[in-house]
Amino acid sequence: IGELFCGRGNGMHALVRLGFRDVEGIDLSPTLAALYEGPGRVAVGDCRSLPWADGSKDVLIVQGGLHHLPDIERDLPLALAEVRRVLVDGGRFIAIEPWLTPFLQLAHAASFSLLRRVLDRVDAFATMVEHERETYERWLTSPDLIRSIFEQYFRADQLVFERGKMRFVGVKKHATA
């Protein structure tokens, strides 16, 4: 199993606790990747050019990383093509990304209020929005584009939009000739 945008490896630790073995992650930041301490392996690299062999993973996961891509129209297809390349036939891709639901709108409002001063998690969210406002807002305002790109590469087994997130579980589609 592999995790894209794994950062310090918190998601990888959760996967190991769930019983997954042979856990690998990739992150663009050498600083974050160096912080990982666990049984898996973390590579420094770009999700648009994965270091893993064709058909080498049963499952790939991304938890809040794709919305950081600078150009959705160019970069999201590159990343998803790489995910598809690396997955075995019938392999699963799981993506959890922010999605503009009423809950997320409420979270945005709360993030820039008094709550930010008293809740670390709210402050972390608000800080991310401030530092990555352009890519974050581009992601949130492009739902049709994002869905169409996902549909080019994967057959959706699950696609849910709730509590400010898109939860996607897809099966690898074969490349068209």
Side-chain angles (χ1 to χ4, degrees):
I1 189 166
E3 183 178 17
L4 302 124
F5 295 91
C6 69
R8 292 170 253 203
N10 293 338
M12 293 172 58
H13 285 293
L15 292 168
V16 169
R17 283 191 305 273
L18 288 170
F20 288 96
R21 300 290 176 254
D22 194 26
V23 177
E24 292 187 83
I26 184 167
D27 199 275
L28 194 57
S29 169
T31 303
L32 288 176
L35 295 173
Y36 175 70
E37 294 179 359
R41 294 174 302 283
V42 173
V44 175
D46 192 320
C47 70
R48 295 165 290 194
S49 179
L50 294 172
W52 302 314
D54 295 3
S56 62
K57 301 288 182 205
D58 294 317
V59 178
L60 286 174
I61 296 174
V62 61
Q63 300 179 74
L66 294 173
H67 71 273
H68 296 294
L69 293 170
D71 183 338
I72 294 170
E73 288 183 82
R74 181 192 71 219
D75 296 326
L76 186 57
L78 291 172
L80 296 184
E82 278 293 280
V83 167
R84 182 178 64 198
R85 177 188 66 77
V86 169
L87 285 172
V88 299
D89 287 341
R92 301 271 193 251
F93 177 53
I94 301 165
I96 301 167
E97 290 291 336
W99 207 259
L100 196 54
T101 65
F103 179 88
L104 186 60
Q105 291 171 320
L106 181 61
H108 285 161
S111 295
F112 299 100
S113 69
L114 179 62
L115 282 178
R116 183 173 183 179
R117 293 191 189 116
V118 295
L119 296 173
D120 290 339
R121 192 171 193 144
V122 172
D123 185 55
F125 173 71
T127 300
M128 182 280 299
V129 170
E130 288 168 353
H131 288 278
E132 301 182 28
R133 183 172 301 278
E134 187 178 330
T135 58
Y136 180 70
E137 288 181 355
R138 189 175 311 123
W139 178 271
L140 291 178
T141 58
S142 303
D144 294 336
L145 174 62
I146 294 163
R147 287 180 73 171
S148 72
I149 294 171
F150 268 75
E151 289 169 359
Q152 289 174 27
Y153 295 92
F154 302 96
R155 185 190 82 239
D157 273 355
Q158 182 182 102
L159 183 57
V160 177
F161 303 100
E162 64 184 12
R163 300 195 67 217
K165 299 206 184 290
M166 170 188 76
R167 190 172 60 245
F168 175 86
V169 179
V171 177
K172 173 182 175 174
K173 270 189 180 179
H174 293 286
T176 54

